[in-house]
């Protein structure tokens, strides 16, 4: 199911949207994205983790190391206020963009 | 900005923890994935293998996350570490750094010297209000004024402050040793006029000092406190024998305080109120609320009404701004030229650093190409190159500051006193010089690093990676730039070499110039005589006798002669119209050195009498001996014996012709024709010079000074020094100018040779393959060497042509510093050209030999 070329631009949006529902760790985010998209979208960890750290450095996410099941510490990410605002604008942009594409494809 | 900085710093501090956490995070991900696979029903081993396969490289992800998190400091520090590693491999990097350090060091040191000697104002508050004033006409006038004039100026209120400071030297006796030190007789208010002078210990003078009864009070400098008193804390209140009189130290001034001359270390209070006593040399601080012209006019009027001589001689107030420097004309001309020389050296070294870095970066083009192929952007490569040259620059700045410090210390130790004592500013490497060092360093780094980095990083991705093309190619721009830098270097080296050759030839000419007399083994004592104190019949004769007895009682003294005025150039300057007795001869307008000498004078100084005879006791005061030049001017082609001439209404008869004496000096106007009158006796002139010839080494000047100084209260010894010192002193400045010029030229020539050598040998190494093929195709080894030589000769000829033009220009600029050498001196030209030719030949010899050694077999084996 490799549709990663489309994914690249949308990855940030996917992460932000996933975290808007609840704070989660990297594996959880990955699972969540593939579940919600019914396995049509899969994010490799090679793209996910750099993106998470980039968004955190940009102040859209915050994170902390928390104790988790089976005695391991996990890094849990949550959305910041800035992240929430960014999610709204990005979602709006995406909607406009996909609407434009759909209109284009519905010609003829 | 601040938050960014604090975050950057926090991240730097927590970097290790953050790295651990990233690994932990990914490890957690891996385990979750394995668990999920197990839940899906895979075996533990399969679950793990599957998870790892899905994940891709954990290490790559870790690196990618780090790349996201890395701050700019991280990447710069990576660059710096890399640059250090490259630098540690040695080679051209260190050479470039050493050259840059040298360039910065010399420039900063020279700036310090030029600044202290020429640029800086006097180190006092509002120095432009301060001035030395005297009364004179358009030709000048005596330095000192009548005591009444000083009083009149003080009362008039026309100046904010009027004070006197007369400098001289004094004999200091302390614990049985005798030494001479600079002394200034000053009015008590002089420190207040200069403003901001604070004693290190004790107090300054106050208005009660300097009158009769309190004129035995002195201040001494920290230097003298250290040298003479060994920093004894109880020095204040102690008395010390100065010119035979016990004087009391009341304060110690800081070593940096230099006034009125740099050599002054003792200040003695005096009110200058004795109308017949010492005439004061006056310094003033102008009022800011009165225009200068008005102040000068009022001061002139006041002086004329206070002193009849000023009125009758129609003298007016002449003002000399008190500058930080009291340099003579030679130094004033030489120091900016040497400063210009150091700028040229700076350029040569910078050009060399630039070409070294260029060669270095070009040689590493394969490395750049490799990194570029691995995904480094050009900006990244450029930054790497800049960090490398920046690192070289920073290390060079540090080393350069150290070099400058050492050079200034050396200058302090070895520069002639004439230079060092010519300034009221102490010679210290100051903050401004350090700022200039750093600025010079930044300029040098930018100049040396930017262009090579730009060209060196212009990589064609594919070409240098081809295995057959060993060592990479030089881009056309890099090649052109390297050649241009070399041409510039050679041109500058040629220019500096020309300048240095001219200075050295001038110095040699000056040192070997015929003086017309023999100053070796002669010590001269200069005495001031207070004529009014010599009252009564025979007082003068008995004074002269006791002085002579005193001199003859000294060990090793062979002969002595009295004179008033002494070579070199120390005669009474007489200018005006000279009329010879020839019928119809026009009056001659010339400056003549006039000496009054005893009969033994000529034989003692080894000045041959060419015609006639020296003085005899029965000669009248109008019988004179003339020098050759004087005789040739007044009686061209004739025997002057028996002829007479008139000067200022006085008529003189020639009884002898002495060989011309010369004053080898760059200021030719100071070498005048001379004539001699008979010395009328000690006490007839305000001064007298006793020339003493010794068999073997002369007695210690301080001893002579002490013996003569105690003979009579009317006699004060101004100085005792070997006659040859006056000549050597005249040589000191040209010698240091020539030495500094030589050092500059040597550095420039070596740098140019080094640059030529490195560029040529680099080119040979790069073209080894080409040479190998040529040789395989039958080119003889001399043909191969010819390729290298042609390269070097083209560059050298271009450099010499450019340098020749610049040299011609510099030689003209140096005219005023030349003695017996013209700007187009063929010997100097030949010296410069042959030296440069030898340099070029030596620099191309090894590369040419290397080219001849090109062996096609070994080269092809390497394919």
């Amino acid at each position: 199911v490799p549709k990663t070329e489309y994914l690249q631009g949308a990855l940030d949006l996917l992460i932000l949207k996933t975290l808007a529902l609840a704070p989660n760790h990297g594996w959880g985010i990955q699972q969540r994205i593939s579940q919600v998209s019914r396995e049509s979208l899969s994010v490799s960890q090679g793209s996910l983790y750099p993106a998470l750290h980039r968004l955190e450095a940009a102040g859209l996410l915050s994170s902390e190391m928390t104790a988790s099941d089976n005695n391991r510490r996990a890094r849990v990410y949550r959305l910041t206020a800035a992240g929430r605002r960014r999610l709204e604008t990005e979602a709006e942009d995406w909607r406009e963009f996909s609407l434009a594409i759909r209109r284009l494809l519905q010609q003829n | 900005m601040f938050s960014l900085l604090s975050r950057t710093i926090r991240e730097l501090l927590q970097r290790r923890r953050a790295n651990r956490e990233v690994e932990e995070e990914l490890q957690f991900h891996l385990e979750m994935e394995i668990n999920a696979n197990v839940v899906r029903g895979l075996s533990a081993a399969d679950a793990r293998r599957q998870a790892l396969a899905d994940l891709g490289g954990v290490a790559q992800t870790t690196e990618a996350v780090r790349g996201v998190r890395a701050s700019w400091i991280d990447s710069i520090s990576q660059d710096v570490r890399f640059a250090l590693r490259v630098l540690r491999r040695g080679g051209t990097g260190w050479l470039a750094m050493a050259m840059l350090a040298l360039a910065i060091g010399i420039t900063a040191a020279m700036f310090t010297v030029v600044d202290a000697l020429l640029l800086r104002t006097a180190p006092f508050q509002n120095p432009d209000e301060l001035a030395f004033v005297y009364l004179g006409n358009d030709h000048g006038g005596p330095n000192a004024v009548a005591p009444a004039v000083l009083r009149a100026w003080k009362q008039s209120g026309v100046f904010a402050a009027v004070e006197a400071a007369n400098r001289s030297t004094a004999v200091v006796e302390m614990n049985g040793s005798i030494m001479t030190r600079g002394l200034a007789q000053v009015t008590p208010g002089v420190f207040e006029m200069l403003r901001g002078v604070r004693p290190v210990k004790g107090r300054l003078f106050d208005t009660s000092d300097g009158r009769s009864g309190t004129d035995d009070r002195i201040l001494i400098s920290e230097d003298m406190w250290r040298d003479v008193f060994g920093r004894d804390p109880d020095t204040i209140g102690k008395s010390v024998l100065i010119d035979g009189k016990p004087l009391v130290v009341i304060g110690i001034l800081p070593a940096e305080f230099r006034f009125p001359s740099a050599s002054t270390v003792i200040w003695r209070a005096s009110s200058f109120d004795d109308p017949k006593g010492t005439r004061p040399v006056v310094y003033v601080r102008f009022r800011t609320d009165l225009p200068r012209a008005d102040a000068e006019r009022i001061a002139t009027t006041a002086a004329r009404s206070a002193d009849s001589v000023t009125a009758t001689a129609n003298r007016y107030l002449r003002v000399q701004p008190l500058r930080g420097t009291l340099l003579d004309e030679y130094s004033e001309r030489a120091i900016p030229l040497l400063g210009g020389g150091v700028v040229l050296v700076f350029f040569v070294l910078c050009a060399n650093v630039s070409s070294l870095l260029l060669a270095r970066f070009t040689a590493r083009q394969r490395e750049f190409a490799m990194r570029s192929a691995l995904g480094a952007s050009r900006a990244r490569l450029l930054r790497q190159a800049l960090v490398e040259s920046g690192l070289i620059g920073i290390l060079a700045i540090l080393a350069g500051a150290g070099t400058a410090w050492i050079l200034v210390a050396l200058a302090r130790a070895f520069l002639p006193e004439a230079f060092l004592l010519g300034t009221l500013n102490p010679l210290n490497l100051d903050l401004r010089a350090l700022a200039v060092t750093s600025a010079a360093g930044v300029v040098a780094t930018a100049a040396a690093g930017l262009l090579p980095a730009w060209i060196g990083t212009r990589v064609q991705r594919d070409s240098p990676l081809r295995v057959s093309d060993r060592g990479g190619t030089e881009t056309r721009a890099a090649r052109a730039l390297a050649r241009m830098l070399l041409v510039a270097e050679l041109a500058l080296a040629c220019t500096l070499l020309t300048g240095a050759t001219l200075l050295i030839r001038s110095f040699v000419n000056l040192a070997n110039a015929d003086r017309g007399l023999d100053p070796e083994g002669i010590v001269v004592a200069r005495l001031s005589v207070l004529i009014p104190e010599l009252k009564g019949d025979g007082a003068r004769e008995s004074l002269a006798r006791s002085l002579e007895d005193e001199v003859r009682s000294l060990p090793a003294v062979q002969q002595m002669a009295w004179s008033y005025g002494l070579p070199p150039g120390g005669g009474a300057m007489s200018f005006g119209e000279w009329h010879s007795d020839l019928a119809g001869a026009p009056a001659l307008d010339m400056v003549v050195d006039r000496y009054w000498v005893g009969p033994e004078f000529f034989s003692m100084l080894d000045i041959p009498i060419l015609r006639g005879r020296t003085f005899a006791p029965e000669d009248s005061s109008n019988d004179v001996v003339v020098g050759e030049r004087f005789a040739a001017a007044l009686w061209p082609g004739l025997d002057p014996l028996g002829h007479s001439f008139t000067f200022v209404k006085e008529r003189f008869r020639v009884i002898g012709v002495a060989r011309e004496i010369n004053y080898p000096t760059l200021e030719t106007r100071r070498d005048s024709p001379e004539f001699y009158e008979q010395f009328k006796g000690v006490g007839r002139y305000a001064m007298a010079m006793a020339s003493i010839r010794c068999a073997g080494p002369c007695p210690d000047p301080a001893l002579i000074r002490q013996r003569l100084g105690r003979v009579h209260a009317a006699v004060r010894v101004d100085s005792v020094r070997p006659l040859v010192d006056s000549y050597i002193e005249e040589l000191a400045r040209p010698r240091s100018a020539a030495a500094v010029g030589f050092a500059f030229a040597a550095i420039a020539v070596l740098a140019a040779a080094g640059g030529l050598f490195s560029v040529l040998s680099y080119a040979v190494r790069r073209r080894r393959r080409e040479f190998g093929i040529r040789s395989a195709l039958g080119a003889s080894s001399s043909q191969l060497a010819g390729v290298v030589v042609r390269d070097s000769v083209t560059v050298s000829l271009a450099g010499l042509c450019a340098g020749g033009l610049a040299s011609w220009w510099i030689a003209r600029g140096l005219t005023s510093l030349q003695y017996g050498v013209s700007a187009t001196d063929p010997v100097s030209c030949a010296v410069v050209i042959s030296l440069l030719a030898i340099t070029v030949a030596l620099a191309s010899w090894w590369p040419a030999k290397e080219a001849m050694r090109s062996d096609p077999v070994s080269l092809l084996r390497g394919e």
Side-chain angles (χ1 to χ4, degrees), chain B residues 355 481-491 752 755-756 759-760 795 799:
Chain B
S355 65
L481 184 67
R483 297 297 182 276
M484 250 161 56
L485 286 170
L486 258 187
V487 168
E489 265 179 61
L490 282 166
L756 190 63
V759 166
L760 287 178
V795 170

Side-chain angles (χ1 to χ4, degrees), chain B residues 300-484:
Chain B
T300 303
T301 317
R304 282 183 183 167
S305 59
D307 175 38
S308 58
V309 179
T310 308
T312 50
N314 221 7
R315 290 177 185 161
Y316 56 89
L317 185 81
R318 299 202 45 157
V319 180
Q320 239 177 48
L322 184 67
R323 297 184 310 164
T325 56
L326 311 156
L327 284 187
D328 55 303
E329 289 176 41
Y330 180 86
S331 312
E332 274 191 15
R333 288 190 309 248
I335 289 171
L337 280 166
L338 292 178
V342 80
V343 172
L344 293 187
V345 171
F346 184 71
F347 285 150
V348 170
L349 291 176
C350 273
N352 212 336
V353 170
S354 224
S355 65
L356 277 176
L357 289 182
L358 184 63
R360 177 183 160 87
F361 283 122
T362 317
R364 283 167 54 196
Q365 236 179 6
R366 255 165 82 82
E367 173 200 322
F368 284 119
M370 185 71 82
R371 294 183 58 185
S372 160
L374 291 178
S377 64
R378 182 169 188 201
R380 188 76 186 69
L381 292 181
L382 207 56
R383 193 177 72 190
Q384 172 67 51
L386 277 181
V387 164
E388 270 191 58
S389 45
L391 189 72
I392 289 173
I394 287 168
L395 292 176
I397 287 172
L398 292 178
T403 313
W405 188 83
I406 292 169
L407 285 175
V408 169
L410 285 175
R412 220 173 5 231
F414 293 112
L415 268 189
E417 293 223 318
F419 272 155
L420 287 183
L421 297 185
T423 171
L424 297 177
N425 296 302
L427 186 59
N428 290 326
L429 186 64
D430 62 352
L431 283 177
R432 284 204 302 163
L434 273 181
V436 169
T437 317
S438 309
V442 168
V443 169
T445 317
L450 206 56
L451 216 48
W454 180 254
I455 293 172
T457 56
R458 188 155 62 195
V459 169
Q460 290 98 11
R461 250 179 228 201
D462 52 340
S463 64
L465 283 178
R466 287 199 301 262
V467 182
S468 63
D469 206 338
R470 304 195 95 77
T473 54
E474 196 180 27
T475 61
R476 184 170 296 176
R479 190 184 149 82
L481 184 67
R483 297 297 182 276
M484 250 161 56

Side-chain angles (χ1 to χ4, degrees), chain B residues 333-334 337 502 806-818 823:
Chain B
R333 288 190 309 248
L337 280 166
L502 288 174
S807 301
W808 179 74
W809 178 75
I810 217 99
R812 281 185 19 150
L814 283 173
T815 312
S816 60
L817 301 182
Q818 285 160 18

Side-chain angles (χ1 to χ4, degrees), chain B residues 613-812:
Chain B
R613 57 175 177 83
T614 178
F615 298 107
E618 64 277 9
D619 285 335
S620 87
S621 65
N622 291 331
D623 291 337
V624 297
V625 174
V626 297
E628 283 175 285
R629 231 166 108 195
F630 184 88
L634 262 71
W635 304 279
L638 298 175
D639 181 2
L641 278 193
H643 278 285
S644 64
F645 64 92
T646 317
F647 177 67
V648 197
K649 294 175 191 155
E650 229 181 320
R651 194 172 179 81
F652 298 96
R653 194 172 65 93
V654 177
I655 60 161
V657 180
R659 220 189 113 198
E660 185 68 18
I661 55 173
N662 299 311
Y663 185 14
T665 163
L666 291 164
E667 280 146 69
T668 40
R669 63 185 169 79
R670 276 165 61 188
D671 188 10
S672 318
E674 61 276 329
F675 84 94
Y676 309 86
E677 292 176 58
Q678 171 135 276
F679 184 74
K680 296 189 190 79
V682 178
R684 297 277 177 185
Y685 313 86
M687 292 182 76
M689 287 78 174
S691 305
I692 304 162
R693 182 179 279 284
C694 318
C698 277
D700 184 1
L703 177 68
I704 300 179
R705 204 178 157 144
Q706 186 210 25
R707 292 282 185 88
L708 292 180
R710 69 188 184 192
V711 168
H712 198 288
V715 173
R716 210 187 67 204
V717 187
D718 292 327
S719 70
V720 178
R721 60 198 297 232
L723 180 58
V724 76
D725 277 9
S726 309
Y727 291 94
I728 290 174
E729 202 173 66
E730 202 53 43
L731 287 175
R733 283 159 297 193
R735 185 180 53 214
S736 51
V740 171
F742 174 74
F744 287 174
I747 291 169
V749 169
L750 280 178
L756 190 63
F757 174 79
S758 62
V759 166
L760 287 178
S761 51
Y762 167 66
V764 168
R765 249 177 293 143
R766 194 169 31 75
R767 291 165 72 182
R768 259 219 310 259
R769 214 175 107 80
E770 177 197 326
F771 287 138
I773 293 171
R774 282 192 186 204
S775 136
L777 291 176
S780 70
S781 53
S782 62
Q783 274 172 322
L784 292 183
V787 174
V788 177
V789 169
R790 209 155 37 237
D791 203 6
S792 120
V793 164
T794 319
V795 170
S796 311
L797 278 182
L800 276 181
C801 286
L805 286 175
S807 301
W808 179 74
W809 178 75
I810 217 99
R812 281 185 19 150

Side-chain angles (χ1 to χ4, degrees), chain B residues 157-160 286-299:
Chain B
V158 63
F159 301 110
F286 278 100
R287 279 167 58 164
T288 45
D289 53 352
L290 189 68
R292 286 281 164 98
D294 291 352
E296 287 173 23
R297 192 170 36 77
I298 298 169

Side-chain angles (χ1 to χ4, degrees), chain B residues 76-140:
Chain B
I76 294 278
S77 74
Q78 193 191 356
D79 280 350
V80 170
R81 275 197 309 267
F82 182 73
L84 276 174
R85 209 154 45 227
V86 171
L87 205 59
R88 254 207 305 270
R89 283 208 305 258
T92 47
W94 290 110
L95 197 60
M97 197 197 76
M99 263 179 197
L100 201 51
L102 197 62
I104 292 169
I106 304 177
T107 314
M110 196 67 198
F111 174 80
T112 304
V113 172
V114 171
D115 176 55
L117 293 184
L118 278 187
L119 305 177
R120 222 171 326 159
T121 51
F124 310 115
Q125 273 182 35
N126 301 19
D128 42 330
E129 289 166 26
L130 292 168
F132 155 62
V133 296
Y134 63 101
L135 293 162
N137 55 25
D138 295 344
H139 294 292

